[in-house]
Amino acid sequence: MATVLIRRRFPGLGRVAAFATATRRTGASGSSQRKQKREESPEAASAGAERAATIQLPNPWGCSVLYDPCAGSRAASQQLEAGNRGQALGSRVAGTVWIRRMVSTTSSQALPAPRNALLDPKFKPLLEQDISAQAKEEAKKERAEMHDSKEDPRTFQKGRPEYRGLSYNKFELTEALPVEEGDAILHSISACKDNESPETIAGYFLKLSRLPAERHAVLRSDPRFNSLCRGAARSLPSFSTPQLIDVLKALVRVAAPATHPVLRACESEFCRRAWDMDVEQLLLVADCWRCLERSVPSYLSILFSFANMHWKDLTLPQVVQLIYIIGEGRKSPADLMQKLENLILKYLDSFTLEEVGAVCLGLFKSISGISDHVMKKIADRVALQMEDMSSYALVNVLKMLRYSRMDHLPLLKQLGKVIPPRIPTINIQGIMHVALTCSSLHYYNEDILAAIAMSLPSKVTYCRSKDAAKFLWSFGCLNYEPPNEEQFYSSLIEQMHRKLHEFEKFPEHLLTGLLGLAFVQRFPAELIDFALSAEFVQKTRESKYELGKDLLTLGKSIEIECPGYKGSRLSPQLSEELTEMVLNFAKEEIYVRPEIVEAVSLLESMLGGPEYVKSHMLLPHTRSSDLEVRLALDGHPIPFHFKGAAAHKQPRGIGVDLTDALLTQLIKGSPGGQASAEAGDAAKAGGQERVEAARARSSIRASDPRAKLKVLPKSQQSLEPSFSPVPARQPQEVKLAIQVSNRNHYCYCSKRLLGLHSLKRRQLRQLGYVAVELPFWEWFPLLKRTRSEKLSYLHYKVFNPALLGGVA
């Protein structure tokens, strides 16, 4: 039977082929390709990156239908891209149909389809219905993904009638002014003299603002309206405060440009009389300035000073509205914030859940640090009522929780129950903040991450460069590979290619995404070539963020894991400069930590002197230190090249044998806290060290060139990590890299290594080292025990027979 091929863009399908095309160009041609990409428009790049999926349906007419739902809306898509900075690359509202004849491969007698086959009345209505339904579905999906940064934060104002006097309501029902009456008013303005009363002028503004919205652009450009504005600006001091507010509200309604001269005059007048206004008027005017998107730092400063003096008299709605204004102004008045904290505690139980979200968003946007006590109280309430909270309000709470670095376990556990079913209904930016909160707090929850991963490929084209980068970072940081990992990662990498033009303005996002990929051993060649190019590196140096460490981590990881890489690299001078910066930081912040100082001292004593222990950074780009020890195959420590060092000193006797039972007793006997609880779990597991020994044996053999790591499909032209070949002769020593870990190396309440530290262990193995860990849940409790017990523990770790047995 002949078939109909209905071809349209489906998210998540056809991405491998698209990426293979995008990433094939590497090496010497990388620079010219980057230049070509800069010359192409973002929209063209986006359109070129999309591929088609095929659906087969029975078709008695023997023709194929190619349906492109984006074809009729490219102009709208370009406007959307410009207005929303890349939220959605295609506005899928209308479509176009093409017809082509198709010859059946199953029958040599297939007849050609008549040209007017689609005009058959039996077929045409069905096709039109399908196209209409698909277009409506795409439009609905797009609306759901759009985030209105101006209106969405104001949702809380709908919850109480008191906000009507504190904020401008654009949805307030007003009787529309007929166009003819508006023309009559404008005519009277042109005929009147300059001595109109304030009441008359304010009346003109109010009436003209009621013109239909589609007439506002014409009104703003009308010379008679501008004449009215000039007259108002001259006579503003004679207006009463309510009249002045009415004029400002009218200017909001007609969407006057933020730079309009009449607004400058209004701002000066409001600043002059602010101390004579009440708090409701002050907040209403501040809200109007926000709606006009006009920056008014002087006015806000007066508002905050007024609130600071009268803070005890602020009502609940006034407090929430004030915090909203503070957030939208991105300014945190230090002297006022402590008083607002007291008011938040006072009204917390009376806030609606939307108001709780609004308070958190205001604090987050203004970078207002609040006390752990207040944040805990907010988290306590949200944990109890999360199911009744809107997803938007919940995401705002998560933003503040992330900013406060508070690991509130009851809230996080409840989040794991409530948020996964909601993920498909949340827009892409909200999902990104959920993922970023989990990674920032090191909270690993497979249900949340799996729900995000399964939902993301169908939404990926709505990702901004920031969103795509944060998703990659979050999953890499938590060291999680989802069930649909190939589709998940290929769709995000493809979106990174689409957004390549944005990374020149936001270089930090590209490095964030590439590091997240490196954590899980994925190295997209063309993106890395672009990120390490001299031009891009210069942009990172000019960024307001410190990106040197990220550059170093990426560059050195490529050197170790991808020896076949032929693209751009960090210059030796820059690499040396960044390494020196990291080492200086380590001298001041890492080497001096008590748990490391104690381990170095005890190891030196146990092995026979300082020449047997080297405290340094084996891999500076991983930003953590190592205690390097080398053992001969007979178990004797080998000194480093210090003058006067003895060749093979016997390790000093300890006098105490460390058994599993003693280790359990040592750890269980330590004081309470998280470390004790985790140590108890470790002891119950039993044989943890033997597992480490097994890993060590496999690590020593890790230099086998036949070994393979999991990588992206070759069709995507990703760099394939590989191990450097080593001589076939037996190794003459075992190189130990002793890791003194802490809780920040692991996921929260877990023994799952975070991405950066997993990357480090992997690279140490590739360089021939055996990672021996002193995990914090064992080592930290032992710091309070006797010297003999600590030495016994270290002897047990360093001289584990399995380490030597692996190379025997």
Side-chain angles (χ1 to χ4, degrees):
M1 177 184 289
T3 60
V4 167
L5 298 183
I6 298 182
R7 209 171 186 192
R8 61 179 297 250
R9 298 181 181 117
F10 281 90
L13 298 180
R15 299 193 183 280
V16 172
F19 184 74
T21 302
T23 60
R24 192 170 290 118
R25 304 179 299 273
T26 57
S29 63
S31 178
S32 63
Q33 295 296 339
R34 285 193 300 273
K35 181 177 180 182
Q36 179 181 349
K37 283 191 174 186
R38 294 190 192 102
E39 294 172 351
E40 295 174 351
S41 68
E43 293 77 12
S46 171
E50 298 220 6
R51 292 295 179 266
T54 300
I55 297 177
Q56 293 192 349
L57 300 171
N59 175 24
W61 294 280
C63 62
S64 68
V65 181
L66 299 181
Y67 170 54
D68 180 1
C70 291
S73 60
R74 289 194 175 96
S77 177
Q78 291 173 4
Q79 293 175 1
L80 185 64
E81 172 74 22
N84 293 282
R85 291 193 294 180
Q87 275 190 338
L89 290 178
S91 181
R92 302 178 179 180
V93 180
T96 303
V97 176
W98 294 272
I99 311 299
R100 75 177 181 191
R101 193 186 320 173
M102 178 177 173
V103 179
S104 172
T105 59
T106 60
S107 173
S108 60
Q109 299 178 353
L111 298 176
R115 291 185 178 182
N116 61 348
L118 292 183
L119 300 180
D120 191 306
K122 297 178 181 179
F123 180 81
K124 187 175 180 180
L126 295 175
L127 180 62
E128 290 177 347
Q129 290 176 13
D130 179 68
I131 293 174
S132 176
Q134 295 289 355
K136 289 179 180 178
E137 182 65 25
E138 293 290 345
K140 179 181 178 182
K141 180 179 178 181
E142 185 168 309
R143 285 195 301 271
E145 289 299 326
M146 293 299 100
H147 169 66
D148 190 337
S149 61
K150 193 172 177 181
E151 285 300 323
D152 289 348
R154 302 168 66 85
T155 304
F156 73 94
Q157 295 172 349
K158 301 175 183 177
R160 295 180 190 269
E162 293 91 335
Y163 288 113
R164 295 172 189 168
L166 303 174
S167 60
Y168 173 81
N169 182 9
K170 65 179 288 188
F171 303 106
E172 182 181 0
L173 295 178
T174 56
E175 184 179 354
L177 185 74
V179 176
E180 296 79 10
E181 189 172 341
D183 289 338
I185 293 173
L186 291 171
H187 179 73
S188 64
I189 291 172
S190 63
C192 72
K193 299 179 180 179
D194 293 339
N195 57 355
E196 292 287 352
S197 67
E199 183 179 1
T200 302
I201 295 175
Y204 286 156
F205 274 104
L206 286 176
K207 289 179 180 179
L208 291 173
S209 70
R210 288 165 39 211
L211 282 169
E214 60 271 16
R215 298 288 301 177
H216 288 167
V218 176
L219 176 66
R220 293 193 301 268
S221 61
D222 193 305
R224 294 169 294 182
F225 179 74
N226 288 320
S227 175
L228 175 65
C229 290
R230 288 192 297 270
R234 287 193 298 267
S235 56
L236 283 180
S238 61
F239 280 54
S240 68
T241 298
Q243 289 171 342
L244 193 59
I245 292 175
D246 285 343
V247 170
L248 186 62
K249 290 172 67 175
L251 291 168
V252 174
R253 194 171 290 114
V254 301
T259 56
H260 199 290
V262 73
L263 293 179
R264 185 164 56 249
C266 286
E267 179 185 354
S268 299
E269 185 59 28
F270 276 119
C271 287
R272 187 184 67 81
R273 66 176 71 186
W275 288 102
D276 298 323
M277 296 162 61
D278 60 40
V279 67
E280 286 199 0
Q281 292 174 324
L282 288 168
L283 289 171
L284 173 57
V285 170
D287 197 64
C288 289
W289 292 130
R290 167 57 187 150
C291 294
L292 288 163
E293 296 186 334
R294 181 178 173 87
S295 177
V296 287
S298 297
Y299 179 84
L300 291 181
S301 179
I302 296 172
L303 168 62
F304 298 152
S305 297
F306 186 96
N308 196 37
M309 291 179 61
H310 302 279
W311 69 276
K312 291 184 179 180
D313 301 325
L314 295 177
T315 64
L316 184 153
Q318 290 170 354
V319 170
V320 179
Q321 181 68 16
L322 177 60
I323 294 175
Y324 163 76
I325 293 296
I326 290 173
E328 296 305 304
R330 305 301 199 274
K331 183 176 181 181
S332 175
D335 54 343
L336 180 59
M337 294 316 298
Q338 180 58 52
K339 296 170 183 177
L340 287 178
E341 276 197 26
N342 295 333
L343 291 172
I344 291 172
L345 288 176
K346 175 182 176 181
Y347 293 123
L348 181 58
D349 292 336
S350 302
F351 285 153
T352 66
L353 292 173
E354 288 299 321
E355 287 171 332
V356 172
V359 166
C360 287
L361 182 61
L363 295 173
F364 176 79
K365 283 186 173 182
S366 60
I367 319 178
S368 302
I370 59 172
S371 66
D372 289 347
H373 175 66
V374 174
M375 191 65 238
K376 183 179 182 302
K377 289 291 185 181
I378 293 174
D380 287 342
R381 181 174 176 201
V382 171
L384 294 175
Q385 297 181 279
M386 190 180 295
E387 291 183 355
D388 301 323
M389 201 169 198
S390 73
S391 297
Y392 181 77
L394 177 56
V395 167
N396 290 336
V397 173
L398 295 181
K399 291 177 183 178
M400 196 58 201
L401 195 73
R402 180 177 88 227
Y403 179 76
S404 302
R405 305 292 299 175
M406 175 168 286
D407 45 4
H408 191 281
L409 194 56
L411 185 149
L412 294 173
K413 286 184 175 179
Q414 188 65 12
L415 185 71
K417 299 176 183 177
V418 171
I419 207 67
R422 294 191 188 184
I423 290 296
T425 66
I426 302 175
N427 68 15
I428 199 70
Q429 292 186 37
I431 298 174
M432 180 273 288
H433 282 293
V434 173
L436 189 57
T437 297
C438 289
S439 66
S440 296
L441 299 179
H442 299 170
Y443 181 64
Y444 179 88
N445 184 294
E446 199 160 339
D447 291 337
I448 296 176
L449 296 174
I452 293 173
M454 299 306 293
S455 180
L456 190 136
S458 65
K459 296 171 174 276
V460 76
T461 54
Y462 297 99
C463 283
R464 304 165 297 174
S465 58
K466 175 181 179 179
D467 300 324
K470 296 298 186 183
F471 279 123
L472 291 172
W473 168 264
S474 298
F475 277 65
C477 176
L478 294 173
N479 201 13
Y480 174 71
E481 297 230 351
N484 62 334
E485 59 183 271
E486 294 305 333
Q487 185 188 30
F488 174 81
Y489 281 112
S490 62
S491 66
L492 280 170
I493 292 172
E494 183 181 349
Q495 185 68 0
M496 296 275 280
H497 276 270
R498 290 195 195 102
K499 297 294 184 181
L500 204 61
H501 60 282
E502 293 185 11
F503 294 126
E504 295 193 358
K505 184 177 181 181
F506 305 104
E508 65 275 10
H509 297 331
L510 180 57
L511 293 181
T512 294
L514 289 177
L515 283 180
L517 286 167
F519 293 161
V520 291
Q521 296 174 265
R522 294 174 185 269
F523 302 92
E526 186 174 303
L527 291 176
I528 292 171
D529 181 44
F530 180 82
L532 297 181
S533 66
E535 300 93 329
F536 187 83
V537 168
Q538 182 58 36
K539 291 185 182 296
T540 66
R541 306 285 277 175
E542 297 167 358
S543 171
K544 63 180 180 180
Y545 301 102
E546 172 49 58
L547 302 178
K549 293 179 181 178
D550 293 345
L551 276 174
L552 184 66
T553 301
L554 180 63
K556 291 296 183 181
S557 293
I558 294 299
E559 289 181 14
I560 295 172
E561 301 204 53
C562 305
Y565 171 66
K566 303 298 183 183
S568 303
R569 295 181 182 271
L570 293 181
S571 67
Q573 297 84 355
L574 179 58
S575 182
E576 183 178 347
E577 175 189 333
L578 296 175
T579 299
E580 187 66 25
M581 176 184 69
V582 173
L583 293 176
N584 289 336
F585 172 80
K587 291 176 183 177
E588 297 176 1
E589 301 291 338
I590 298 179
Y591 298 151
V592 296
R593 291 174 181 169
E595 65 272 18
I596 294 177
V597 172
E598 182 78 351
V600 171
S601 174
L602 291 169
L603 284 171
E604 289 176 351
S605 175
M606 182 179 77
L607 297 175
E611 64 269 24
Y612 294 98
V613 183
K614 193 173 183 180
S615 178
H616 65 138
M617 282 184 162
L618 281 166
L619 303 175
H621 63 278
T622 60
R623 312 172 199 180
S624 56
S625 68
D626 311 89
L627 308 183
E628 186 178 1
V629 171
R630 298 191 177 187
L631 299 178
L633 295 184
D634 60 1
H636 291 126
I638 300 174
F640 292 94
H641 297 293
F642 298 119
K643 290 183 179 180
H648 292 287
K649 288 187 180 180
Q650 291 284 356
R652 296 180 182 177
I654 305 305
V656 179
D657 293 328
L658 188 67
T659 64
D660 287 346
L662 178 56
L663 179 61
T664 302
Q665 178 185 355
L666 291 175
I667 298 173
K668 280 189 172 182
S670 61
Q674 180 186 353
S676 300
E678 304 235 15
D681 292 340
K684 291 177 184 177
Q688 168 99 13
E689 291 74 19
R690 297 186 184 89
V691 175
E692 291 289 339
R695 289 178 180 172
R697 287 196 297 273
S698 64
S699 300
I700 295 172
R701 298 190 183 100
S703 56
D704 183 354
R706 295 171 296 177
K708 296 291 181 183
L709 297 178
K710 184 187 297 183
V711 295
L712 287 172
K714 290 183 179 179
S715 62
Q716 296 187 5
Q717 295 294 306
S718 173
L719 300 174
E720 182 170 347
S722 61
F723 300 112
S724 301
V726 295
R729 62 182 178 84
Q730 282 292 102
Q732 299 301 307
E733 62 182 16
V734 179
K735 297 187 293 184
L736 303 183
I738 300 175
Q739 311 292 299
V740 183
S741 66
N742 60 61
R743 58 181 292 183
N744 289 329
H745 293 183
Y746 290 86
C747 293
Y748 179 58
C749 290
S750 164
K751 295 173 186 175
R752 184 185 188 89
L753 275 174
L754 293 170
L756 177 62
H757 303 285
S758 177
L759 171 145
K760 178 182 179 179
R761 305 287 176 90
R762 186 173 74 232
Q763 293 180 2
L764 284 172
R765 289 194 296 269
Q766 290 177 235
L767 294 175
Y769 285 90
V770 178
V772 176
E773 184 177 10
L774 309 184
F776 72 92
W777 58 84
E778 294 176 0
W779 182 239
F780 280 39
L782 280 170
L783 293 177
K784 300 178 181 179
R785 309 292 288 185
T786 66
R787 176 181 174 85
S788 177
E789 289 168 330
K790 287 181 279 193
L791 286 170
S792 297
Y793 174 80
L794 291 175
H795 189 280
Y796 181 84
K797 284 287 188 178
V798 172
F799 295 105
N800 192 323
L803 300 182
L804 301 176
V807 295

